Amino acid sequence: MGSEAGGVKTVNGHQEADSSQPENQLIANKSGHDGENGSIVKPADAETKDEHIVENVFHITILLPHQPYKIQVPVSTQGQVQDLRSSIVEQPGTFQYTCFHLEYNGQRINDFTELSDVKGLSADSELKLVEDPYTEREARMHVVRIREIVGAAGDRTDALNGVDASLSLHETVSPWTGPDASSAAKQKTATSKLTAEANPLAGFDFNGPALLRTILPTNQDASPKTIKALSVAPWNPPPPPYRQRGHLLYIQLTTLEGEQFQITSHVSGFFVNKSSNSKFDPMPKAAPKVVMAHSLLTLIQSLSHSFGDAFNKLLEANNKRDPLASFQLTSALPSNPWLVSAPSSSATAHQPDLTRTQEAYLLSGVDNTETLRDWNEEIQSTRELPRETVQDRVFRERLIAKIFAEFNDAAARGAVLVARGEVAPLNPTESKDAQIFVYNNIFYSFGADGVGTFTLEGGDEAARVAVGKDVAGVKCVNQLDIPGLATPGTIIVDYLGRRLVAQSIVPGIFKQREPDEPQVDYGGVEGKDVVADNDAFVSTFSQVSKAIRVKKHPVWDKEGKKHVLEGSVETKGLLGTDGRKYILDLYRLTPLDISWLDPYWSDGMCHGQKPEERNYPHRMSILRPELVDTYWRVKMSDYVQVELEKKNKDGILEEGAEDSESTKRSTSGNGDAAHIDGPSHPENRNDESTKDPGRIDISAFSYTLNPDVFSGQSPQTAEEKEEWANDEREVRAVADHLHEKIIPELVHDLKEGEVGFPMDGQSLSRLMHKRGINIRYLGKLASLSGTSSPRLQALKALAEQEMVARAFKHVANRYLKDLPPAMATCCLAHLLNCLLGSDLNSCPKPQIDEDLQYLYKDADYSFADVTPQSLQAEIEAQTQMRYRYTLEESWSSNIRSAQLQREIALKLGLQLLAKDYQYRLATGSRSEDSDHVTNGTTPQPMVNGHSANGNINKKKKKRNGGETSPLCASASTVPDRPSTFGVEDIVNIVPVVKDSNPKSVLAEEALEAGRISMYQNQKELGQELLLESLSLHEQIYGILHPEVARVYHQLAMLYYNMDEKDAAVELAHKAVVISERTIGIDSDETILSYLNLSLFEHANHNTGVALACMRHALELWKIIYGSNHPDCITTFNNAAVMLQHLNFFHQSRVWFEKSYAISEQMSGKDSVNTATLAFQLAQSLALDQDHKGAVNRMREAYSIFHHKLGAEDRNTKEADSWLNQLTVNAVSIAKHAKDVQAQKIRRALFTPRVTLRTQPQAPVGRSSTEGMGGQTSRVSGGLDNRSIDELMQYIESNGDANKKTPTKKRKNPRSRRT
């Protein structure tokens, strides 16, 4: 029945991995074991007695009560019995078992013990599976599981996850046939041979519009049906007399033959009863029709003759799918695409399913009490689990990741209900902003200043920022993982214009204390007026302060009494009624950014308004922790330098000087380096300094900041004032370092192309945060980018786009927060029309439903008065106020509409209808359809600071796609509509969630140790540590998690550079799928994963697949950025190399020419980069028989190399040699031109030896060599290493060049320039 099950089950047509199953069993890692707790090699300073945990993997036999009666299951001594159970129920042929226990030697085994605790269990042992009686809960879970297995679950409408949530397109990317191709066409393409006219890159338009179909799912073949319906019968629940007889549930089954059966779920199993739709008789049918089975799956098979064959076909169809693309997410929130198919399309059609409404009952029971959990107790008790051994740490961190993921899911669902008004407040008489809620044992409040706490800090604006900073602070403290210090589970949810805070309920937080007793036990009680002291909190708070560089400092209450605190006065300590110490209000872990507040913030008012030059909306501007860490490293470097000078003076420094110098260098790295915390292991360092007088003892170094300076504190004595003044100077120094060093360095790195260029607003924001730069400095970043450098012009355009998108978000939130949910789409459609559709309709009118407007008379409909002019003015004002940047007058006409639309959708959680949006109205001065731009790309005079020439205006007006295309499912067509956006175009709005989940310390330790080993050229140790880190990531997070995708990505690059191509391809494939499902199908990380997968597939001789992946990545790149991204030179070059490998010389030449043209534009005609590309282009021209052009390009390369690098440089000499030989052999080449044009070249003989090599795409904000162990990639770009004679022999012999062993690749001349 289930011979081809493959260990999966279906959920809504998807496969699901049981949440209790050890995720590492789904995908075996590269170290040769199944991913259970393997040996962990730690750095020398972290060795413990359990440094190596030896894993013992073996097979045991499970004896079954039914066919096939016996199966073999691999187990690990480090696993649990619960993991073994999960493996059994996912084995082929054992789907039907859910209610059972295991016995060994006649003794029942506890499901929650470890296998190592089972006495006598060893390889080839036999365990007996014994079926148990059902309980009502187990019967309900069994029905749910069987519905999923047989494909009867249907689609689910989820209030949290949007349309096409957790979508992966990787299965449909290769072979490339276009998004609307049928499955048959894809199969045909997969087996057909690539040609110059028929390959994935054929017809790619460099400057053409973005194809929105790229991010839409294709029409998949429907899964085979096994039954017509399986639902809960209307006779539920069992009446008391029958409940006493063991009846648990009544089920209704309709088979493919059309027969309907009423089934009783009994404690002993399932049987067909005598009931009908109108008659109730739940007793078994009499012989010969009596049918009974312990499993519902077995019963269905006996009732339906066609079920067996249909079920096997379903399993075969499921097994053809990539498991990673179909497993259900359990440890991360899924990504929601911003573009979705129309509700009426076949991809998203809503299907009838009676049991969809019954799932709440099946999952939670009659009283819905089974899902109620004490979240706070679960979170705290999980964090208090033992952590002595590596095995303890793995188990503990796995449970922590699981409980946080489940809390985030439950909290986000409750927040959506609160925002929509579905939950009654606890204090309904208060103002709406001050109302609080409790739902599912989770506490909710609005991110607004409902009770006046932030009146002096900026009111609602300050409160909104504070809760965001608080979540970041909770995440920071969670990451520190300090024993004895508790934090509540916390997330924030932005939905429908409101920000909600969801927290687990801290025991005692609502307790009314005595009048003279403060409400908190440590820190500020009522702002700064009342301060509480409690020695019990000092030790734990001091550990937090030490880790985040916070100084122990005094504060003064309203009576002038001095209190010495270990953290900010705003940070509070609460002793819960459960005896735990909680740390709360973590929005001020770092000092205020006084360099921003001094010029732009004002407490005073002038005629009821702040002066325009000092109207920043709030005073919650604080320095980022990354900046504090960076400056700490600078001070550490200064300290080491001073100590070195002292030792030099004293004559102590001899052999140890070199080691100390390396120590100094290690402290001055960038923000990615591991923290060096001298005092953390003072005993070790003191011993080392005693043994080696040349080493610097950094245990005495300390650098901390006072987080309460510039916050209204009043020192009393002269000594206190002097100390306070010193603290203020230190904070100002950090802020000055940001302005004078960090921001200019980022601009310089992006200008010179030393690091990957951001692709969209999200990647730019991440890059800024990583460098310690707040988003409020977007304006400064744009101002510093206003030069003639094309790369900086692109940065300026991207920064302006991000500022406009964020300004629009603030404007939209202001209009949305006081609207009923039913009016949200009307408001958003009108605002989008005013911003993006004003050229099509200069006076858009909102589509307000008058009936709804009459129902919601108290709602604020001020959005209806918004015009394009007023909205542009609001955005300009917001940009000036928040970022101190003045947009140009023509910004609204120069903006990239499609990319801005995407940024806005992601920030507001919009899921828009996929269609060809028309932003502009065609005029006589323009081409026929230049304003009806396919898929939303608008021709502009300037795109990212450079001309967007091309054939954008020559696209056909005919819309693509057949009748079943999702793009054609919309009821209305664009040209007939007066506005760009309609209410129906906003298909869904999903919440935007920010969590406080900590990363796994254990997995990060192994990953960092592996990186360090690779940088130190200890490849074997580094590889072992990275593999161990991967195993830990899989065990702790589960397979489908963003952190796992990033580790896969890094390991794939490692294997690629070690020339293990198969392993690199496999890991890169996993990285792509997981990135799509958890980060986004068009995120910058997904694009980078596709580009690297393309590189690896090409190296593995799958160039057709490589080109398909590259085409998909390029189409995604157009969607999120547009044409001619500054970093696309590398990708175009790689494409040219791949096409050259396939002997598509002319097409390869086109890609080389495009790469060369962009390099000329971005780097300048006289740059070494351009010379390198000219060298490569000359070779391509020679292969394409353009000998004159080859000579000209080689002459250009030689001239630039000679001028920039000198006559003696290796690159100059190579270019000179090539130039001479090309010139000398021009006549000889011409003799064979006729044969070449007649296409007599034997294509198969053109090997990679005669081609250029590909190179990896640089990650955003990082160099292309980072993550490779600090070594230059074996495929780094540069001049080709082939000899002139080889190329000439190849051309003159009509492609008969002999294969030779590849020689070592030379480095890029860029790395040798001065």
Side-chain angles (χ1 to χ4, degrees):
M1 179 178 67
S3 60
E4 299 186 37
V8 293
K9 58 184 178 182
T10 59
V11 183
N12 300 337
H14 299 289
Q15 295 167 345
E16 178 187 14
D18 192 279
S19 60
S20 61
Q21 181 178 0
E23 294 85 352
N24 54 309
Q25 293 180 4
L26 302 178
I27 299 180
N29 61 58
K30 285 291 169 188
S31 57
H33 55 73
D34 68 348
E36 286 289 332
N37 307 326
S39 59
I40 296 178
V41 182
K42 298 183 181 180
D45 61 349
E47 291 184 357
T48 61
K49 63 182 180 181
D50 54 0
E51 178 182 359
H52 296 281
I53 299 297
V54 180
E55 181 186 36
N56 187 8
V57 180
F58 54 89
H59 285 77
I60 62 174
T61 301
I62 307 296
L63 303 178
L64 305 173
H66 310 291
Q67 288 185 349
Y69 299 113
K70 182 185 295 186
I71 61 171
Q72 290 270 326
V73 179
V75 297
S76 165
T77 53
Q78 305 301 325
Q80 292 188 327
V81 177
Q82 191 71 31
D83 300 333
L84 175 59
R85 286 178 57 95
S86 299
S87 299
I88 292 173
V89 299
E90 300 299 338
Q91 287 284 327
T94 55
F95 281 145
Q96 65 267 33
Y97 300 108
T98 62
C99 185
F100 64 90
H101 70 269
L102 297 173
E103 292 182 357
Y104 182 59
N105 292 335
Q107 299 294 319
R108 179 168 182 158
I109 303 175
N110 192 311
D111 292 341
F112 300 97
T113 61
E114 296 183 1
L115 289 172
S116 57
D117 295 334
V118 181
K119 293 182 180 181
L121 187 65
S122 61
D124 299 326
S125 295
E126 291 187 349
L127 273 63
K128 183 178 180 181
L129 186 150
V130 180
E131 295 175 333
D132 285 335
Y134 286 97
T135 64
E136 184 198 345
R137 182 182 183 279
E138 288 170 337
R140 287 188 277 106
M141 294 300 103
H142 184 82
V143 172
V144 171
R145 174 172 166 78
I146 297 304
R147 275 174 46 83
E148 293 167 345
I149 289 175
V150 302
D155 61 317
R156 288 171 176 160
T157 302
D158 197 326
L160 174 62
N161 303 324
V163 181
D164 287 333
S166 189
L167 176 67
S168 174
L169 302 174
H170 182 53
E171 291 179 290
T172 61
V173 167
S174 177
W176 178 268
T177 58
D180 295 325
S182 64
S183 300
K186 289 183 180 293
Q187 186 66 25
K188 181 179 179 181
T189 307
T191 57
S192 61
K193 190 173 182 180
L194 297 176
T195 65
E197 295 77 22
N199 68 77
L201 293 184
F204 179 78
D205 190 349
F206 294 101
N207 295 319
L211 297 177
L212 296 185
R213 293 176 179 80
T214 305
I215 59 176
L216 294 181
T218 55
N219 295 320
Q220 299 289 333
D221 296 332
S223 299
K225 291 186 68 67
T226 59
I227 58 175
K228 287 188 176 181
L230 179 63
S231 61
V232 177
W235 301 111
N236 279 288
Y242 291 101
R243 188 179 304 165
Q244 297 300 321
R245 301 184 188 183
H247 290 204
L248 306 173
L249 197 67
Y250 299 128
I251 305 164
Q252 188 169 287
L253 167 69
T254 305
T255 65
L256 290 179
E257 294 86 355
E259 293 185 86
Q260 187 179 87
F261 296 94
Q262 300 285 337
I263 298 173
T264 296
S265 172
H266 191 263
V267 291
S268 61
F270 297 82
F271 59 81
V272 178
N273 61 38
K274 301 177 183 178
S275 297
S276 65
N277 291 332
S278 57
K279 175 187 175 184
F280 178 64
D281 186 355
M283 301 307 292
K285 276 194 174 183
K289 295 185 177 181
V290 59
V291 181
M292 183 173 182
H294 188 269
S295 171
L296 182 58
L297 189 66
T298 307
L299 180 64
I300 295 174
Q301 187 179 26
S302 63
L303 294 175
S304 173
H305 298 293
S306 60
F307 175 79
D309 292 338
F311 185 59
N312 285 330
K313 290 179 181 178
L314 175 65
L315 294 177
E316 290 175 4
N318 290 338
N319 289 335
K320 290 179 182 178
R321 297 199 60 193
D322 184 347
L324 284 179
S326 52
F327 283 141
Q328 194 174 42
L329 271 71
T330 58
S331 58
L333 293 176
S335 64
N336 293 296
W338 65 279
L339 271 183
V340 295
S341 305
S344 58
S345 69
S346 59
T348 57
H350 196 50
Q351 302 295 332
D353 182 14
L354 178 63
T355 315
R356 188 188 297 121
T357 59
Q358 302 170 344
E359 282 190 344
Y361 160 67
L362 288 173
L363 295 172
S364 306
V366 177
D367 301 324
N368 197 29
T369 57
E370 295 180 12
T371 56
L372 293 179
R373 301 164 64 176
D374 189 342
W375 293 107
N376 190 76
E377 180 60 30
E378 288 191 43
I379 291 173
Q380 309 312 331
S381 59
T382 302
R383 296 182 62 183
E384 291 167 356
L385 289 172
R387 59 179 92 181
E388 283 74 20
T389 66
V390 174
Q391 182 179 341
D392 288 341
R393 294 179 66 186
V394 171
F395 180 71
R396 174 178 176 271
E397 292 188 2
R398 179 178 173 183
L399 287 183
I400 287 176
K402 183 175 183 292
I403 187 62
F404 270 104
E406 291 170 351
F407 171 78
N408 293 345
D409 184 84
R413 292 179 188 278
V416 170
L417 295 177
V418 171
R420 299 183 70 88
E422 306 287 349
V423 181
L426 299 181
N427 53 343
T429 59
E430 302 285 344
S431 65
K432 189 170 184 178
D433 287 343
Q435 289 178 350
I436 58 177
F437 308 81
V438 172
Y439 181 79
N440 197 10
N441 283 339
I442 300 174
F443 174 73
Y444 296 92
S445 60
F446 291 109
D449 192 23
V451 294
T453 304
F454 296 95
T455 301
L456 299 179
E457 309 290 334
D460 288 345
E461 287 278 1
R464 184 183 181 90
V465 173
V467 296
K469 301 292 184 186
D470 181 45
V471 168
V474 172
K475 187 169 189 174
C476 177
V477 174
N478 285 343
Q479 192 64 47
L480 297 177
D481 200 14
I482 296 172
L485 187 63
T487 57
T490 308
I491 68 166
I492 57 174
V493 178
D494 292 331
Y495 185 65
L496 296 179
R498 286 192 164 272
R499 171 164 287 185
L500 292 102
V501 188
Q503 294 178 304
S504 61
I505 301 175
V506 176
I509 196 170
F510 295 126
K511 179 182 177 182
Q512 292 295 326
R513 302 197 180 190
E514 298 296 327
D516 57 342
E517 186 181 3
Q519 287 297 112
V520 297
D521 298 289
Y522 190 78
V525 180
E526 299 173 3
K528 299 178 288 289
D529 294 341
V530 179
V531 180
D533 293 317
N534 192 324
D535 293 339
F537 286 85
V538 173
S539 61
T540 51
F541 271 52
S542 64
Q543 295 179 61
V544 177
S545 300
K546 182 178 179 181
I548 62 177
R549 330 288 185 204
V550 169
K551 180 180 180 180
K552 185 177 182 178
H553 62 281
V555 296
W556 296 265
D557 57 24
K558 61 181 179 181
E559 298 176 356
K561 183 181 178 181
K562 179 179 177 180
H563 304 264
V564 179
L565 298 179
E566 288 287 351
S568 169
V569 68
E570 304 291 350
T571 303
K572 300 170 177 58
L574 177 69
L575 187 62
T577 54
D578 57 357
R580 298 186 177 100
K581 300 170 189 172
Y582 291 87
I583 184 169
L584 308 171
D585 292 350
L586 297 169
Y587 52 83
R588 279 276 299 279
L589 291 182
T590 54
L592 293 170
D593 184 1
I594 194 61
S595 64
W596 181 270
L597 293 176
D598 266 354
Y600 304 133
W601 163 263
S602 174
D603 293 321
M605 294 282 189
C606 180
H607 304 292
Q609 291 184 340
K610 292 184 179 182
E612 184 176 349
E613 66 277 5
R614 304 188 67 183
N615 64 343
Y616 194 66
H618 60 82
R619 201 174 184 273
M620 299 302 298
S621 304
I622 63 174
L623 301 173
R624 289 196 63 83
E626 297 90 341
L627 175 64
V628 176
D629 287 340
T630 300
Y631 195 71
W632 179 88
R633 283 188 289 273
V634 171
K635 300 297 287 186
M636 165 70 83
S637 180
D638 294 342
Y639 172 82
V640 171
Q641 184 63 38
V642 171
E643 291 298 313
L644 284 172
E645 292 174 357
K646 288 181 181 179
K647 288 181 179 286
N648 278 324
K649 284 183 180 180
D650 297 338
I652 297 176
L653 189 61
E654 293 177 0
E655 294 128 10
E658 186 175 341
D659 294 337
S660 298
E661 183 65 22
S662 65
T663 301
K664 178 180 80 69
R665 286 196 302 269
S666 70
T667 65
S668 58
N670 59 22
D672 299 332
H675 300 323
I676 300 175
D677 196 349
S680 60
H681 299 286
E683 65 284 355
N684 295 338
R685 292 189 171 89
N686 287 337
D687 292 343
E688 291 174 357
S689 63
T690 302
K691 295 176 184 177
D692 185 356
R695 296 183 67 88
I696 302 300
D697 179 14
I698 60 174
S699 61
F701 172 76
S702 177
Y703 180 79
T704 53
L705 296 174
N706 184 342
D708 286 325
V709 294
F710 308 113
S711 61
Q713 292 294 327
S714 302
Q716 303 297 308
T717 66
E719 182 180 355
E720 292 170 349
K721 291 178 181 179
E722 181 180 357
E723 181 184 3
W724 204 260
N726 289 333
D727 292 343
E728 290 180 347
R729 281 192 291 272
E730 290 287 354
V731 172
R732 287 188 183 275
V734 178
D736 292 341
H737 182 70
L738 172 65
H739 290 270
E740 298 169 5
K741 185 76 172 175
I742 302 298
I743 297 178
E745 274 188 356
L746 175 59
V747 174
H748 175 269
D749 290 347
L750 293 175
K751 176 184 177 182
E752 298 300 323
E754 301 294 340
V755 297
F757 199 89
M759 300 181 187
D760 61 353
Q762 287 184 323
S763 56
L764 176 60
S765 301
R766 275 201 318 273
L767 175 58
M768 292 176 65
H769 286 165
K770 191 176 182 181
R771 296 285 184 107
I773 306 171
N774 302 87
I775 292 298
R776 57 179 171 272
Y777 288 106
L778 272 171
K780 182 166 186 176
L781 203 64
S783 299
L784 293 177
S785 304
T787 67
S788 58
S789 167
R791 288 182 68 91
L792 290 188
Q793 289 177 5
L795 177 61
K796 177 183 178 182
L798 191 58
E800 288 181 345
Q801 175 182 291
E802 181 68 2
M803 286 187 283
V804 170
R806 288 176 176 270
F808 180 88
K809 178 188 72 173
H810 288 291
V811 173
N813 284 340
R814 190 174 75 248
Y815 290 116
L816 284 171
K817 69 175 185 176
D818 294 323
L819 276 178
M823 301 297 294
T825 55
C826 173
C827 172
L828 288 167
H830 179 63
L831 294 178
L832 287 171
N833 280 325
C834 291
L835 177 65
L836 300 175
S838 58
D839 285 351
L840 179 65
N841 186 342
S842 60
C843 297
K845 301 296 182 184
Q847 299 174 325
I848 299 179
D849 189 319
E850 295 183 357
D851 293 335
L852 289 177
Q853 189 175 14
Y854 177 79
L855 285 174
Y856 298 105
K857 296 179 180 178
D858 298 333
D860 182 4
Y861 295 98
S862 57
F863 74 89
D865 300 326
V866 175
T867 64
Q869 294 74 25
S870 66
L871 180 60
Q872 290 179 19
E874 282 191 86
I875 290 175
E876 291 169 2
Q878 288 284 334
T879 304
Q880 175 63 36
M881 177 177 65
R882 295 180 184 276
Y883 310 109
R884 298 296 141 178
Y885 185 78
T886 302
L887 293 169
E888 299 176 359
E889 291 185 4
S890 59
W891 70 266
S892 60
S893 58
N894 291 336
I895 205 74
R896 294 171 298 170
S897 301
Q899 284 71 37
L900 180 59
Q901 177 183 343
R902 174 182 177 270
E903 295 288 351
I904 290 172
L906 292 176
K907 286 174 172 55
L908 291 174
L910 308 183
Q911 291 192 295
L912 303 177
L913 179 65
K915 51 181 276 186
D916 296 340
Y917 287 97
Q918 183 180 3
Y919 301 111
R920 283 167 171 75
L921 183 65
T923 60
S925 60
R926 295 177 179 173
S927 63
E928 181 181 8
D929 36 40
S930 63
D931 295 291
H932 180 192
V933 182
T934 303
N935 297 316
T937 302
T938 306
Q940 300 294 342
M942 298 293 290
V943 177
N944 278 346
H946 52 80
S947 176
N949 51 18
N951 57 352
I952 294 178
N953 298 338
K954 298 180 181 180
K955 287 307 209 181
K956 293 182 179 181
K957 198 168 185 178
K958 182 179 178 180
R959 300 171 65 187
N960 296 326
E963 292 181 359
T964 60
S965 171
L967 288 170
C968 297
S970 178
S972 58
T973 57
V974 173
D976 297 332
R977 295 180 51 190
S979 299
T980 303
F981 298 91
V983 172
E984 68 279 2
D985 293 332
I986 302 176
V987 178
N988 190 28
I989 304 177
V990 296
V992 179
V993 181
K994 297 179 182 178
D995 61 56
S996 58
N997 298 9
K999 292 183 179 180
S1000 166
V1001 177
L1002 187 61
E1004 291 296 319
E1005 284 176 355
L1007 182 60
E1008 187 61 31
R1011 286 173 179 166
I1012 293 173
S1013 297
M1014 296 301 295
Y1015 274 105
Q1016 295 173 347
N1017 207 27
Q1018 300 176 9
K1019 291 185 177 180
E1020 186 174 345
L1021 176 61
Q1023 182 180 3
E1024 182 181 354
L1025 288 168
L1026 289 173
L1027 287 171
E1028 189 57 51
S1029 174
L1030 173 61
S1031 175
L1032 291 171
H1033 275 85
E1034 290 177 345
Q1035 292 180 72
I1036 292 168
Y1037 295 116
I1039 297 296
L1040 298 175
H1041 194 279
E1043 293 301 322
V1044 177
R1046 294 174 183 122
V1047 174
Y1048 278 143
H1049 181 84
Q1050 295 180 45
L1051 274 180
M1053 186 61 68
L1054 168 69
Y1055 277 113
Y1056 175 66
N1057 286 286
M1058 294 173 63
D1059 209 25
E1060 297 187 24
K1061 300 170 185 175
D1062 290 334
V1065 168
E1066 181 184 352
L1067 291 171
H1069 153 76
K1070 295 173 184 176
V1072 164
V1073 177
I1074 300 172
S1075 295
E1076 284 184 320
R1077 299 194 62 194
T1078 61
I1079 304 174
I1081 55 174
D1082 60 350
S1083 70
D1084 63 292
E1085 293 184 62
T1086 300
I1087 292 175
L1088 184 62
S1089 295
Y1090 265 112
L1091 291 175
N1092 283 342
L1093 176 60
S1094 171
L1095 191 71
F1096 305 157
E1097 288 282 12
H1098 169 67
N1100 206 29
H1101 310 296
N1102 296 323
T1103 304
V1105 176
L1107 293 178
C1109 293
M1110 180 169 288
R1111 174 66 180 266
H1112 185 72
L1114 290 172
E1115 296 292 354
L1116 293 178
W1117 214 335
K1118 278 187 181 181
I1119 290 174
I1120 75 171
Y1121 180 85
S1123 302
N1124 299 339
H1125 186 275
D1127 280 353
C1128 67
I1129 298 172
T1130 301
T1131 302
F1132 289 173
N1133 225 41
N1134 290 344
V1137 170
M1138 294 177 190
L1139 290 167
Q1140 193 181 89
H1141 173 79
L1142 295 171
N1143 293 359
F1144 302 157
F1145 300 127
H1146 181 72
Q1147 198 174 356
S1148 172
R1149 165 187 174 172
V1150 172
W1151 286 81
F1152 272 126
E1153 288 175 338
K1154 183 62 177 178
S1155 179
Y1156 174 76
I1158 297 176
S1159 180
E1160 269 193 328
Q1161 191 176 32
M1162 292 293 169
S1163 302
K1165 293 185 177 181
D1166 298 330
S1167 70
V1168 178
N1169 280 342
T1170 303
T1172 303
L1173 292 169
F1175 186 100
Q1176 298 171 346
L1177 178 57
Q1179 296 174 327
S1180 179
L1181 291 170
L1183 290 175
D1184 198 34
Q1185 304 306 311
D1186 186 352
H1187 312 303
K1188 180 179 179 180
V1191 171
N1192 292 336
R1193 291 303 183 201
M1194 192 61 71
R1195 184 178 293 113
E1196 290 179 16
Y1198 169 75
S1199 299
I1200 298 172
F1201 284 146
H1202 188 275
H1203 176 69
K1204 294 285 186 179
L1205 305 177
E1208 299 302 317
D1209 186 83
R1210 179 171 53 186
N1211 299 303
T1212 307
K1213 292 180 179 180
E1214 288 184 3
D1216 184 40
S1217 180
W1218 271 89
L1219 178 60
N1220 293 334
Q1221 190 66 27
L1222 282 173
T1223 305
V1224 170
N1225 287 280
V1227 176
S1228 176
I1229 295 172
K1231 291 179 181 179
H1232 297 276
K1234 190 173 183 179
D1235 291 339
V1236 173
Q1237 292 173 358
Q1239 296 182 354
K1240 292 183 180 179
I1241 292 179
R1242 291 193 290 275
R1243 299 151 63 116
L1245 296 177
F1246 195 62
T1247 69
R1249 175 66 189 93
V1250 195
T1251 65
L1252 297 172
R1253 289 182 177 174
T1254 52
Q1255 59 178 324
Q1257 186 74 40
V1260 174
R1262 299 170 61 188
S1263 66
S1264 60
T1265 58
E1266 286 188 55
M1268 303 179 192
Q1271 301 175 354
T1272 303
S1273 168
R1274 65 176 179 84
V1275 291
S1276 61
L1279 300 187
D1280 189 15
N1281 64 335
R1282 76 186 103 176
S1283 70
I1284 303 171
D1285 293 336
E1286 286 173 335
L1287 184 62
M1288 293 305 156
Q1289 179 187 1
Y1290 170 78
I1291 297 174
E1292 294 173 1
S1293 63
N1294 293 339
D1296 224 358
N1298 293 326
K1299 298 181 180 179
K1300 295 183 179 179
T1301 304
T1303 58
K1304 187 177 180 180
K1305 181 71 177 143
R1306 295 187 180 96
K1307 290 183 178 180
N1308 191 326
R1310 284 184 65 242
S1311 62
R1312 298 195 294 269
R1313 66 182 179 182
T1314 57

